[in-house]
Amino acid sequence: MTAEQNQSDASEDLDLTHISRQRLERVMVYLDDATRVLFDFLNAPRRSVSVSFPVEMEDGSVRVFKGYRVVHNRTLGPGKGGIRYHPDVTLDEVSFLATLMTWKCALIDVPFGGAKGGVACDTKQLSPIEIRRITRRFISELGNAIGPHTDIPAPDLYTNAQTMAWIYDTYDMLHPGKNNLPVVTGKPLDIGGSEGREEATGRGLFFAVQRFISTNLTPELTTLEGAHVNIQGFGNVGSIAAQAFKEAGALITGISDSEGGVYCEDGIDLESAHDHKDTHGTVVGLPGTQSLTHEAFVEHDCQILILAALNNEVRIDNAHNIKAQLVVEAANGPVTPGADKILNERGIQVLPDILANAGGVLVSYFEWVQNNENERWELSQVNAKLKSKMQNAVDAVVNRWRTLSTEEIANGSQELRSLQETTDDETQWVSSTQVDLRTAALAIAIERLCKVTIERGVWP
Ligand code: NAD
């Protein structure tokens, strides 16, 4: 690494509030004056609730937990977003994630706004009874802050269908006498959950990548057959995606979890990986694979790198070393703004979180519709709708990216013009232009949102 790179490493601002604002500012460059007037409105969360509540632990002690629920925007519909249980949960993190939910719902075109919630706690140190007590107390503290037509939670890090069942039950106890199933999504199947919800994010991500590589924006990666795929985070999203890529003929060459990563150039047997993780609690040590540290894993050889673990994993200190031709954000915010710029300059495409992981909220929306209509859809119906919506969103983002790139060239950027390659039948873009896919995706989302904001009118 050069001295210049080291110098800039120290100055990368990873504050989530700043990242959120920076990204919004960047996309404003491409939008019209009527949209820019709404900048402050788009930047600020509409409502933030912070609560502290006591819980009696199994040993008889009483601990106080902090919880948050933020609704960033409700212009397009009720707030929608997960509830996470993690020791690092803060109001800033929840606000950042709520903002992403607003953009995601607008981009994928579901009538929801953005929200997020969380409780600062370590579920690995808590018994199921304690987690249930935390959940019930948190939801009762939120009171009418959530509701089937105002703000609808879902699972997130270290919460699951069981947690959603407790949320539903608590809310239903407090609001008896009506159909409260749509107050939360990601519920167990026998309490109004949807077929395909648990696999939706990984499966949706696969549909998005499959469509994306057919658009010629990754000239050296045009088929999944034989493609080398590394997946950081072999959890729900990562393992479901791994299976889908494998079935499409890709080689899953690397997988990782919180303990580290493993790599095998000939492809990892996923069944053995699951068995090893069940037995040893990690994929590390899987026979026939090479072990890698977290740092080495992200930089290792592959064509597609899927980031399905945490935020800020590709930064300016490692973006120069990424080998993949396509980076896919399954987690929220795994690539920092500084890394975005470096990857873009290097011609590496990043399929952004608000597009790549939108399958989860999409099937949550399907669950909400089924609950409201007292219906149950077949899995094939859910998956067909998921595929079609993900493909439409990818097409919209790629088209918008092409338009924005053309405008930049028309505006006279010599640098960009030199990146345009003309082939016999069409003008083909190589991937390294100034505007990136994230900006194109955000442009679509923010335009949709602002159009409705203006149509509804700023109240009063
Ligand atoms: P999960 O808890 O099932 O899996 C996360 C995995 O990441 C685990 O295997 C964990 O061991 C691993 N991990 C933790 N730290 C790591 C590290 N430093 N390096 C490598 N691996 C590490 O969670 P999930 O539901 O699969 O979600 C993964 C990511 O996708 C999260 O960031 C989540 O917010 C995001 N996401 C999930 C959904 C969804 O529907 N599940 C939807 C949108 C976004």
Side-chain angles (χ1 to χ4, degrees):
M1 190 171 298
T2 64
E4 196 186 356
Q5 281 164 19
N6 272 329
Q7 167 76 33
S8 54
D9 292 353
S11 60
E12 185 167 26
D13 180 358
L14 298 181
D15 181 290
L16 293 175
T17 312
H18 296 172
I19 290 178
S20 192
R21 185 184 175 98
Q22 240 175 302
R23 292 213 157 119
L24 195 54
E25 282 172 349
R26 177 159 159 66
V27 72
M28 284 295 157
V29 173
Y30 299 94
L31 301 177
D32 61 14
D33 287 345
T35 309
R36 285 185 205 152
V37 167
L38 295 171
F39 179 86
D40 287 337
F41 166 70
L42 296 169
N43 192 39
R46 175 172 168 163
R47 187 192 62 196
S48 305
V49 177
S50 299
V51 295
S52 294
F53 52 91
V55 173
E56 187 177 352
M57 311 307 283
E58 289 215 73
D59 65 3
S61 65
V62 174
R63 277 180 59 192
V64 173
F65 292 87
K66 282 190 171 168
Y68 310 94
R69 185 74 187 168
V70 172
V71 175
H72 171 256
N73 192 293
R74 280 212 328 233
T75 304
L76 298 180
K80 186 83 191 81
I83 286 181
R84 63 172 50 185
Y85 289 173
H86 193 273
D88 297 339
V89 164
T90 61
L91 185 58
D92 276 356
E93 183 191 59
V94 171
S95 300
F96 170 78
L97 295 166
T99 309
L100 279 184
M101 287 303 296
T102 301
W103 311 148
K104 200 180 298 183
C105 292
L107 173 66
I108 204 77
D109 201 16
V110 293
F112 284 145
K116 206 78 174 190
V119 176
C121 65
D122 184 355
T123 52
K124 289 179 183 164
Q125 309 293 328
L126 297 165
S127 72
I129 289 175
E130 289 165 342
I131 297 173
R132 193 188 71 212
R133 288 177 185 166
I134 289 170
T135 304
R136 288 200 185 283
R137 192 63 204 253
F138 177 48
I139 294 306
S140 65
E141 290 292 334
L142 290 182
N144 287 330
I146 63 166
H149 300 287
T150 51
D151 180 7
I152 305 146
D156 198 272
L157 278 186
Y158 297 104
T159 56
N160 52 28
Q162 173 61 78
T163 327
M164 300 307 113
W166 291 328
I167 291 178
Y168 163 69
D169 188 67
T170 308
Y171 187 89
D172 194 52
M173 292 286 171
L174 298 172
H175 302 81
K178 53 185 176 152
N179 172 17
N180 287 313
L181 284 176
V183 73
V184 61
T185 59
K187 301 180 292 292
L189 271 180
D190 47 6
I191 318 180
S194 176
E195 294 284 353
R197 171 61 186 87
E198 210 159 320
E199 308 87 38
T201 307
R203 195 175 275 149
L205 178 139
F206 166 75
F207 289 142
V209 172
Q210 192 183 40
R211 183 66 158 208
F212 180 71
I213 65 167
S214 73
T215 63
N216 272 339
L217 289 190
T218 46
E220 289 167 32
L221 176 68
T222 51
T223 173
L224 288 178
E225 190 68 47
H228 286 202
V229 181
N230 286 358
I231 302 178
Q232 182 197 47
F234 195 60
N236 170 293
V237 178
S239 62
I240 298 289
Q243 187 61 34
F245 278 93
K246 188 188 152 200
E247 284 166 14
L251 281 185
I252 309 303
T253 43
I255 52 176
S256 75
D257 59 30
S258 56
E259 301 297 312
V262 291
Y263 180 81
C264 175
E265 197 181 0
D266 298 330
I268 291 168
D269 178 57
L270 296 179
E271 216 169 299
S272 309
H274 279 292
D275 289 347
H276 191 84
K277 193 163 168 67
D278 288 347
T279 313
H280 301 279
T282 173
V283 294
V284 176
L286 179 67
T289 63
Q290 170 195 353
S291 293
L292 296 170
T293 62
H294 289 309
E295 294 73 24
F297 184 86
V298 175
E299 298 176 3
H300 211 72
D301 286 335
C302 65
Q303 289 170 288
I304 302 175
L305 174 62
I306 297 174
L307 300 168
L310 308 169
N311 64 336
N312 296 343
E313 285 293 308
V314 179
R315 304 167 302 272
I316 58 177
D317 57 304
N318 59 3
H320 288 282
N321 303 328
I322 299 297
K323 310 285 187 309
Q325 290 147 29
L326 174 64
V327 174
V328 187
E329 291 190 316
N332 293 307
V335 179
T336 65
D340 263 344
K341 189 165 179 293
I342 294 167
L343 295 177
N344 195 20
E345 283 165 1
R346 293 184 57 214
I348 298 171
Q349 292 282 13
V350 177
L351 213 56
D353 44 15
I354 61 170
L355 173 60
N357 71 27
V361 72
L362 200 47
V363 178
S364 270
Y365 169 62
F366 298 159
E367 179 176 333
W368 185 77
V369 171
Q370 291 171 73
N371 291 161
N372 275 302
E373 296 181 352
N374 289 313
E375 277 197 18
R376 185 172 284 276
W377 300 350
E378 301 286 331
L379 179 62
S380 56
Q381 203 179 345
V382 170
N383 285 342
K385 284 176 189 281
L386 171 67
K387 185 173 183 179
S388 153
K389 279 277 205 184
M390 292 305 293
Q391 290 183 339
N392 289 347
V394 170
D395 291 348
V397 171
V398 169
N399 288 339
R400 190 59 195 262
W401 180 86
R402 289 187 205 276
T403 312
L404 292 177
S405 301
T406 309
E407 283 168 11
E408 282 196 329
I409 289 169
N411 288 341
S413 163
Q414 291 300 326
E415 186 191 353
L416 290 171
R417 198 169 288 142
S418 70
L419 291 165
Q420 188 181 12
E421 287 175 350
T422 305
T423 60
D424 289 346
D425 50 348
E426 60 173 315
T427 297
Q428 187 182 337
W429 300 99
V430 296
S431 51
S432 184
T433 63
Q434 282 178 350
V435 68
D436 55 19
L437 293 167
R438 188 190 310 282
T439 308
L442 273 175
I444 295 171
I446 289 169
E447 266 179 4
R448 276 189 188 146
L449 182 60
C450 289
K451 183 168 182 286
V452 177
T453 305
I454 292 164
E455 282 167 355
R456 289 179 63 157
V458 175
W459 201 85

